[in-house]
Amino acid sequence: MLELNDISFRYGLAEEEKEKDLQDIDLKIYDGQFIVFAGESGCGKTTLSRIMNGLCPSFYEGDLSGSYFIDGENAENKTIDQIGLNIGSVFQDPRSQFFATNSTDEIVLAMENRAYDRDVMRTRLKEVSQRMDMGSLLDKCMFMMSSGEKQKIAIASVCTVKPKVIMLDEPSANLDPEAMENLAGMLEELKQEGYTILVLEHRLYYLRKLMDRLIVLSGGRIIRDIDSTAIAKLTGKQMESLGLRVLEETRLQYSPLAAEDDSPFVEMKHISYKVKRKEILSDINIRVQKGEILALTGQNGAGKSTTCRILSGLVKESGGEVYINGQKCSKGKRIRHNFFVQQDSDYQLYASTVYEEITLGIRSRNIDRDEVIGLLERLHLRQYVNRHPGSLSGGQKQRVLIAASILKKKELLILDEPTSGLDGKHMRELAVLLRDIAGKGTTILLITHDMEFISLVADSTVELANGKTSEKRKILRRIPQE
């Protein structure tokens, strides 16, 4: 059992803030429970998880008060390594916890660090790989794996040391619907085996049948602790009032596509792409009208990000042509027309404050401070204007980049998984904001697996599979699946 009594915490790097990042947390977690922690971005979910797995304050320095017990023993007297034997963590981006380039080496690394007997390591590797049906992923190069496959490796590496508790931070953030279904099945098996499962998550529908408790945080405090019976009775309006996403799976219905203008703003014709003679894309055909919001969907590893990197001018196609506003565009010219918010936000953050980040690249005489502050307020970032972007939560970083993209006023906006790390409230507000700028003439291309978001924002979808694109389909309305 995990027991937290009157836990409060403030990061050392946030000294200018009066409020604590976590306040007055009283929580008991019983063995075998499946608990989901939810709430708006920056509400304290990740901080709470870092306290439970020992990273705060040992790694993330700050002021911690209160008491924390693991199976009746004071966690203050344990090292991070000792806590890790009880609580295994899978981070939001599994790559951030990888040390090996070979999948098998990564899975057994934790056992090697603890000097397990070689026969024990072989036995546990075999047990975990069979239980998780991942034999085909063993002894593979990690760089060639999809997000879902990497996550599977991360979970397997945690399971080999047999902790009592497995904690996952937004495990569905970059997964396609099929991979999310597989993840739910994997978590159900772990629950049946007696593990205590703690999940920090925004997308909730795929966990609805597994949850024993839904704990909602706001402003660093626990505001609701909902049991499984009450979870089943939650309405859409109640979820929205808590700033959360819906509990039902979103399905899309399409209408026949009307005849389109023969002069689309963006057109990709017969695009192909190869890497070392391996064909990644074979026949990509996409047409997007001015002011249209198109969602590009498909499984992890299908080539969606590669397609958008070609369109943005970051990568040169092997064959085919790209047209923008009726003009054939070379790789170099495309860059001037678009702003591309990539999936890994950390790789696009360069400045020392949020204000400097979103105005980066704009001449000072062209910066309208009132417009900047207004945009930050609309994206709920005003209070972080002088904060270092690296100190923000994943969802807040994502919103900083979206603010930067809007401020640049490019004709084409490309967003790769823009709702990764976004809670229900900010996801819905982002949908309204994108509809607003599309209405003013900006063309938007989204890469996303988020059907709830697509139903709120997109005009049409194109699916990518086997290196080819499907016919464009116009969205009619959303149908919640019971």
Side-chain angles (χ1 to χ4, degrees):
M1 183 178 79
L2 307 182
E3 183 176 357
L4 293 87
N5 299 313
D6 198 27
I7 289 287
S8 294
F9 183 81
R10 174 165 35 212
Y11 287 103
L13 54 76
E15 295 176 354
E16 75 276 8
E17 294 186 317
K18 295 181 180 180
E19 292 294 322
K20 295 180 179 179
D21 297 276
L22 212 58
Q23 303 184 64
D24 307 324
I25 300 296
D26 291 298
L27 180 64
K28 289 184 179 181
I29 297 173
Y30 299 96
D31 292 345
Q33 285 194 321
F34 193 114
I35 302 178
V36 174
F37 295 86
E40 294 182 12
S41 302
C43 69
K45 301 187 300 297
T46 298
T47 301
L48 178 58
S49 73
R50 288 171 177 169
I51 289 172
M52 289 191 282
N53 64 21
L55 291 179
C56 283
S58 298
F59 186 79
Y60 297 96
E61 295 182 359
D63 179 24
L64 175 64
S65 61
S67 58
Y68 170 36
F69 296 89
I70 301 175
D71 290 334
E73 297 182 8
N74 194 333
E76 188 177 350
N77 301 324
K78 293 178 177 288
T79 65
I80 290 181
D81 182 64
Q82 291 171 330
I83 293 175
L85 290 172
N86 290 281
I87 303 173
S89 299
V90 178
F91 301 154
Q92 181 176 344
D93 182 359
R95 292 173 301 178
S96 64
Q97 66 190 91
F98 289 158
F99 292 90
T101 58
N102 178 278
S103 58
T104 300
D105 291 344
E106 181 62 40
I107 293 171
V108 303
L109 183 63
M111 294 188 289
E112 288 179 333
N113 287 341
R114 292 179 170 87
Y116 283 28
D117 182 80
R118 185 172 293 274
D119 289 336
V120 172
M121 288 194 290
R122 288 196 182 105
T123 299
R124 292 197 180 183
L125 173 64
K126 183 178 180 180
E127 289 175 351
V128 169
S129 62
Q130 288 179 343
R131 185 174 70 224
M132 297 177 64
D133 190 25
M134 54 182 294
S136 62
L137 297 181
L138 298 180
D139 202 29
K140 299 292 184 182
C141 175
M142 302 281 283
F143 296 113
M144 302 305 293
M145 292 184 172
S146 70
S147 298
E149 291 170 338
K150 289 173 183 174
Q151 189 178 68
K152 218 170 190 179
I153 297 297
I155 295 173
S157 67
V158 166
C159 289
T160 56
V161 295
K162 297 187 176 181
K164 291 183 178 181
V165 180
I166 298 177
M167 183 184 300
L168 304 98
D169 191 351
E170 294 189 36
S172 75
N174 299 314
L175 299 186
D176 60 59
E178 182 178 347
M180 287 175 65
E181 186 177 334
N182 292 337
L183 172 63
M186 191 188 315
L187 294 177
E188 183 175 16
E189 290 181 9
L190 292 172
K191 179 182 179 181
Q192 291 173 350
E193 290 176 19
Y195 285 95
T196 301
I197 311 292
L198 309 180
V199 184
L200 288 64
E201 188 59 284
H202 290 306
R203 300 176 189 176
L204 303 175
Y205 76 86
Y206 76 103
L207 300 173
R208 181 175 184 174
K209 296 179 181 179
L210 298 176
M211 286 187 268
D212 295 310
R213 293 162 68 186
L214 173 61
I215 295 177
V216 185
L217 287 87
S218 179
R221 301 175 185 271
I222 293 175
I223 60 170
R224 293 287 300 275
D225 189 343
I226 310 169
D227 63 28
S228 56
T229 301
I231 290 171
K233 298 177 181 178
L234 287 171
T235 66
K237 287 186 177 181
Q238 287 175 319
M239 296 296 288
E240 186 171 345
S241 69
L242 292 170
L244 306 181
R245 288 168 170 262
V246 297
L247 281 170
E248 297 79 27
E249 181 178 3
T250 299
R251 298 176 63 194
L252 302 175
Q253 188 173 7
Y254 300 92
S255 63
L257 189 66
E260 291 190 312
D261 191 330
D262 288 334
S263 301
F265 182 74
V266 172
E267 185 170 17
M268 303 180 76
K269 298 177 67 174
H270 305 297
I271 295 294
S272 62
Y273 181 67
K274 295 180 180 179
V275 177
K276 295 181 180 179
R277 298 184 180 180
K278 181 180 180 182
E279 190 172 66
I280 307 298
L281 304 173
S282 60
D283 191 20
I284 300 298
N285 295 279
I286 295 174
R287 292 163 58 94
V288 193
Q289 303 298 321
K290 188 172 182 62
E292 180 181 3
I293 301 179
L294 173 71
L296 183 61
T297 65
Q299 293 185 348
N300 291 114
K304 302 182 300 297
S305 294
T306 300
T307 298
C308 287
R309 287 172 69 84
I310 290 172
L311 177 59
S312 69
L314 294 178
V315 172
K316 182 173 175 56
E317 64 277 9
S318 300
E321 299 172 333
V322 176
Y323 294 84
I324 295 180
N325 204 17
Q327 300 295 316
K328 185 176 178 180
C329 259
S330 64
K331 175 177 174 288
K333 289 182 179 179
R334 292 171 216 163
I335 294 176
R336 295 196 290 269
H337 288 278
N338 75 89
F339 192 102
F340 185 15
V341 178
Q342 300 186 65
Q343 189 170 327
D344 299 308
S345 56
D346 286 334
Y347 297 155
Q348 286 185 270
L349 298 172
Y350 305 103
S352 56
T353 70
V354 168
Y355 184 89
E356 291 173 357
E357 185 64 53
I358 70 170
T359 58
L360 191 66
I362 304 176
R363 293 183 179 181
S364 57
R365 65 173 179 269
N366 295 329
I367 297 175
D368 182 338
R369 182 174 176 81
D370 291 339
E371 180 184 8
V372 174
I373 297 302
L375 182 58
L376 289 174
E377 287 180 345
R378 188 166 183 182
L379 289 168
H380 300 278
L381 294 169
R382 175 66 178 87
Q383 64 269 42
Y384 307 114
V385 63
N386 293 317
R387 279 273 294 269
H388 193 290
S391 71
L392 303 178
S393 71
Q396 290 165 342
K397 291 176 183 176
Q398 195 81 8
R399 300 204 308 274
V400 167
L401 286 175
I402 289 169
S405 70
I406 293 171
L407 205 62
K408 300 301 186 295
K409 296 181 172 63
K410 297 287 187 176
E411 300 171 286
L412 173 62
L413 178 56
I414 305 172
L415 303 174
D416 192 348
E417 295 293 349
T419 59
S420 172
L422 288 193
D423 56 83
K425 174 184 176 181
H426 292 112
M427 180 271 295
R428 287 184 279 270
E429 290 179 348
L430 175 60
V432 172
L433 180 59
L434 293 181
R435 292 300 315 174
D436 182 42
I437 64 174
K440 296 176 181 176
T442 301
T443 303
I444 302 175
L445 182 60
L446 306 171
I447 301 174
T448 183
H449 302 120
D450 192 339
M451 293 299 157
E452 183 180 359
F453 182 61
I454 291 174
S455 72
L456 296 173
V457 72
D459 298 302
S460 53
T461 65
V462 168
E463 184 177 6
L464 201 160
N466 301 317
K468 300 180 180 181
T469 45
S470 68
E471 292 291 328
K472 183 194 288 190
R473 295 193 291 177
K474 182 177 177 60
I475 296 173
L476 181 61
R477 61 187 177 91
R478 158 182 117 176
I479 302 178
Q481 181 169 294
E482 297 299 333

